[in-house]
Amino acid sequence: MQKQRRLIIAGNWKMNKTVAEALDLVQGLKRELASLKEVDAVVCPPFTALEAVSKAILDSNIRLGAQNMSEHAGGAYTGEIAAAMLKEFSVRYVILGHSERRQYQKESDLLISRKALAAHAAAIKPIVCVGETLEERESGRTEKIIGSQLEGSLAGFSKEQMQETVLAYEPVWAIGTGRNATPQQAQEVHAFIRQTLVTLFDDAVAKRVRVQYGGSVKASNARELMSQPDVDGALVGGAALEIRSFSDIIKNSI
Ligand code: 13P
């Protein structure tokens, strides 16, 4: 079945890759994906490699994303990075509310929505992440958790802003564990997310927003996951760190 929404597959490099390593990876991806037209391919290196990667992909079909951003436009916020600084490197996307940041930096839904609104103000598309823990799933609270993360993290969005947002469903128990959600489990939650978008926004918005799946995506499971009707791409961690595995994920998804 041909999907109306264009697949978007993004590599979240997390805290990996020096500048030299980042360049090796992205040069290889450029070669492998030179003829790619069907999918939006995005790489999200650490801040320190943004400039080098940005230059390297100028003449390619790969787009650039960042892994975090401040909710403030500038000022006395030691260690933070503002939207305008990302724009200097033609950053198009920014991952916000990743479960690692929710867990280790104690990021709240409110903070995530503020960051996302700051990204929209700078015409950077946020990739807003949601996902339940194993304990939450096993106690039957998946929908309740995802619903409240969506409501909080998307608070204050206009319909136009929502349409320019990418969502990522990343079950915490599937991240870095080698245990991906089954295609059926992913589809179930993605359908719930789309239904929630109907409630929070409207039908037209819900139909247009792309929802990625993330959590142990690899070349061998990408096709089946991406073929689910409400799965519109992937947010890839470990398997995005190598040329072969990331390009195979993309090729297998087409
Ligand atoms: P893995 O693909 O390593 O499970 O990580 C997923 C993720 O957290 C992407 O943001």
Side-chain angles (χ1 to χ4, degrees), residues 67-69 94-103 107-109 111-113 115-116 126-131 149 153 168 170 172 175 235:
Q67 298 175 23
N68 181 36
M69 200 194 91
V94 61
I95 299 169
L96 295 175
H98 191 281
S99 68
E100 287 149 16
R101 295 199 63 84
R102 288 178 184 265
Q103 184 185 349
E107 290 199 358
S108 66
D109 291 324
L111 177 64
I112 294 158
S113 86
K115 289 183 173 196
I127 299 176
V128 175
C129 306
V130 296
Q149 287 175 341
S153 308
E170 297 206 310
V172 178
I175 296 177
L235 187 54

Side-chain angles (χ1 to χ4, degrees), residues 16-238:
N16 294 292
K17 305 290 179 191
T18 61
V19 171
E21 291 165 348
L23 283 174
D24 277 351
L25 174 52
V26 88
Q27 299 294 4
L29 292 175
K30 262 174 72 171
R31 275 196 309 275
E32 288 294 325
L33 303 174
S35 59
L36 177 76
K37 288 186 195 66
E38 300 86 344
V39 174
D40 289 337
V42 181
V43 292
C44 305
F47 290 130
T48 45
L50 283 176
E51 180 172 17
V53 171
S54 172
K55 285 183 182 146
I57 60 176
L58 260 185
D59 56 344
S60 82
N61 46 13
I62 300 171
R63 296 285 171 265
L64 192 59
Q67 298 175 23
N68 181 36
M69 200 194 91
S70 172
E71 73 276 30
H72 301 292
Y77 301 100
T78 303
E80 294 292 304
I81 300 284
M85 298 166 183
L86 299 180
K87 293 290 281 186
E88 287 190 295
F89 305 123
S90 308
V91 166
R92 312 276 185 103
Y93 298 91
V94 61
I95 299 169
L96 295 175
H98 191 281
S99 68
E100 287 149 16
R101 295 199 63 84
R102 288 178 184 265
Q103 184 185 349
Y104 305 134
Q105 272 75 34
K106 304 280 174 272
E107 290 199 358
S108 66
D109 291 324
L110 176 65
L111 177 64
I112 294 158
S113 86
R114 287 188 178 144
K115 289 183 173 196
L117 289 169
H120 281 305
I124 297 174
K125 293 185 199 323
I127 299 176
V128 175
C129 306
V130 296
E132 82 287 1
T133 63
L134 188 59
E135 191 257 321
E136 287 161 347
R137 171 165 285 263
E138 288 180 340
S139 58
R141 286 184 293 149
T142 300
E143 293 194 352
K144 188 169 178 295
I145 295 293
I146 304 286
S148 94
Q149 287 175 341
L150 288 171
E151 197 176 337
S153 308
L154 308 176
F157 280 34
S158 67
K159 289 180 186 176
E160 290 69 28
Q161 287 168 330
M162 191 61 235
Q163 281 176 189
E164 296 298 316
T165 303
V166 176
L167 295 177
Y169 168 55
E170 297 206 310
V172 178
W173 48 271
I175 296 177
T177 59
R179 176 186 171 192
N180 59 286
T182 64
Q184 293 68 30
Q185 284 173 322
Q187 169 55 27
E188 232 171 73
V189 178
H190 282 235
F192 171 75
I193 290 173
R194 212 169 295 288
Q195 195 48 49
T196 305
L197 292 176
V198 174
T199 314
L200 294 176
F201 297 91
D202 64 24
D203 214 46
V205 170
K207 280 204 176 81
R208 289 182 67 159
V209 172
R210 295 184 290 182
V211 187
Q212 298 174 312
Y213 166 78
S216 299
V217 174
K218 39 191 180 273
S220 58
N221 61 22
R223 189 190 303 273
E224 214 188 336
L225 283 162
M226 296 308 111
S227 64
Q228 298 303 309
D230 287 296
V231 177
D232 310 310
L235 187 54
V236 186

